[in-house]
């Protein structure tokens, strides 16, 4: 069985589904009547859940405090009407703990799922990629930080189109990174090394966590055949499946 290490910040995704029948008389806002609530691990833990659903053994290093993303969804339209983030910051990672945790272990790949909530600094990530047990295997980065030479040791860097736009002015300063970028484009698929990989158009119910699913599918397929193009195509199939479900869904 393949074994993957996931390092990154995680949260609890809470979805509250309810009915909206009227507008509040005191203010121009909807009156939300909660009916049902679901919870599941989000961010790095969502990557873990998707990998496990694909049959991968996963070790995870993540924050101990609980960030909560609470989404309120209208049953009739399926639209989110409000999102409330609680405790939206976590304590920094313990470098000594990571060193001890990975010592002597063998992984098929290592994923850094960095949502920039304070768990990992740029210096932490650079330090960890130089650890022997991580350096010697394929490494994948999904980050909300601005890219720079701190991520030069990664084999692949996955970002979405908005993050790519934010990095537009800085990426030319790091030409080596351009060859590693996999940019997800929503319904338009994704791009890698100036080639666009289209995806099947499907009815979308929820895109929450779709990036995590893409990353998990990408890594799962890559450690099987080390073919990044086939891995991108498989990752897109996984994403196409989950966006047709409500909430943060797994493969």
């Amino acid at each position: 069985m393949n074994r993957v290490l996931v390092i990154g910040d995680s949260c609890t995704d809470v979805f509250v589904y309810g009915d909206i029948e009227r507008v509040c008389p005191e203010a121009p806002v909807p009156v939300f009547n909660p009916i049902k609530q679901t919870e599941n691990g989000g961010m790095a833990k969502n990557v873990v859940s998707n990998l496990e659903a694909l049959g991968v053994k996963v070790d995870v290093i993540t924050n101990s405090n609980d960030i909560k993303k609470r989404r309120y969804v209208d049953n009739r339209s399926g639209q989110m009407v409000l999102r409330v983030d609680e405790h939206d910051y976590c304590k920094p990672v313990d470098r000594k703990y990571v060193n001890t945790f990975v010592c002597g272990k063998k992984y098929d790949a290592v994923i850094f799922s960095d949502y920039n909530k304070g768990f990992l600094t740029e210096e932490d990530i650079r330090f960890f990629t130089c650890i022997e047990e991580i350096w010697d295997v394929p490494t994948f980065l999904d980050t909300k930080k601005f890219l720079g030479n701190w991520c030069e040791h990664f084999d692949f860097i996955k970002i979405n189109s908005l993050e790519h736009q934010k990095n537009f002015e800085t990426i030319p300063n790091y030409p080596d990174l351009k060859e590693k970028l996999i940019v997800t484009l929503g319904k338009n698929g994704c791009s890698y090394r100036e080639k666009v990989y289209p995806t099947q158009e499907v009815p979308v119910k929820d895109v929450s966590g779709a990036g995590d699913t893409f990353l998990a599918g990408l890594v799962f397929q890559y450690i099987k055949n080390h073919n990044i193009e086939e891995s991108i195509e498989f990752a897109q199939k996984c994403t196409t499946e989950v966006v047709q479900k409500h909430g943060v869904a797994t493969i």
Side-chain angles (χ1 to χ4, degrees):
M1 179 182 290
N2 295 120
R3 189 175 189 177
V4 172
L5 172 65
V6 175
I7 305 175
D9 24 23
S10 59
C11 71
T12 300
D13 281 315
V14 181
F15 283 80
V16 183
Y17 298 93
D19 296 330
I20 297 175
E21 302 291 347
R22 59 194 178 93
V23 175
C24 175
E26 294 90 3
V29 294
V31 176
F32 185 88
N33 179 28
I35 304 297
K36 182 181 73 172
Q37 178 172 305
T38 64
E39 292 188 13
N40 56 269
M43 302 196 311
K45 285 185 178 178
N46 189 37
V47 178
V48 172
S49 296
N50 277 277
L51 285 168
E52 290 176 339
L54 288 165
V56 178
K57 181 176 176 58
V58 186
D59 288 348
V60 59
I61 298 174
T62 189
N63 47 294
S64 57
N65 65 301
D66 193 16
I67 298 172
K68 271 193 169 61
K69 295 182 181 180
R70 193 181 306 273
R71 300 169 174 89
Y72 294 84
V73 182
D74 173 40
N75 279 327
R76 181 179 300 173
S77 65
Q79 296 296 313
M80 187 193 314
V81 296
L82 178 67
R83 176 174 138 177
V84 179
D85 290 3
E86 302 171 20
H87 313 295
D88 197 33
Y89 189 85
C90 50
K91 297 178 181 178
V93 66
D94 184 337
R95 290 190 186 184
K96 290 183 179 179
Y97 172 77
V98 176
N99 254 325
T100 303
F101 187 92
V102 304
C103 183
K105 293 182 179 176
K106 294 186 180 298
Y107 294 105
D108 296 289
V110 178
I111 299 172
F112 286 77
S113 178
D114 170 40
Y115 274 78
N116 202 23
K117 301 295 184 182
F119 186 66
L120 295 168
T121 65
E122 296 174 1
E123 291 74 21
D124 289 329
I125 295 173
R126 182 196 284 272
F127 175 81
F128 294 145
T129 54
C130 293
I131 297 175
E132 182 179 354
E133 287 82 355
I134 296 176
W135 177 277
D136 290 339
V137 300
T139 50
F140 297 78
L141 171 66
D142 184 1
T143 182
K144 305 300 182 188
K145 292 180 173 63
F146 281 99
L147 303 180
N149 56 13
W150 59 273
C151 51
E152 62 187 355
H153 295 312
F154 283 92
D155 295 296
F156 302 102
I157 302 170
K158 176 258 168 195
I159 56 177
N160 62 38
S161 57
L162 178 60
E163 292 156 359
H164 186 252
Q165 290 172 13
K166 289 180 178 179
N167 279 276
F168 181 77
E169 293 184 358
T170 58
I171 287 176
N173 297 323
Y174 309 99
D176 291 343
L177 297 185
K178 293 179 67 175
E179 298 298 300
K180 304 177 181 185
L181 286 182
I182 300 174
V183 184
T184 56
L185 307 171
K187 65 179 182 179
N188 296 317
C190 74
S191 66
Y192 173 64
R193 294 192 175 184
E194 300 185 352
K195 179 179 177 180
V196 175
Y197 297 79
T199 190
Q200 179 186 0
E201 188 171 342
V202 295
V204 176
K205 292 184 178 178
D206 201 326
V207 298
S208 302
D212 301 326
T213 299
F214 180 94
L215 183 60
L218 182 78
V219 174
F220 168 78
Q221 189 68 17
Y222 188 79
I223 60 182
K224 288 176 59 178
N225 59 15
H226 288 263
N227 184 311
I228 192 59
E229 292 198 353
E230 290 182 9
S231 301
I232 288 172
E233 291 171 355
F234 179 79
Q236 293 191 142
K237 289 179 181 178
C238 295
T239 306
T240 298
E241 177 184 327
V242 300
V243 296
Q244 297 180 69
K245 303 177 182 179
H246 287 294
V248 175
T250 54
I251 303 164

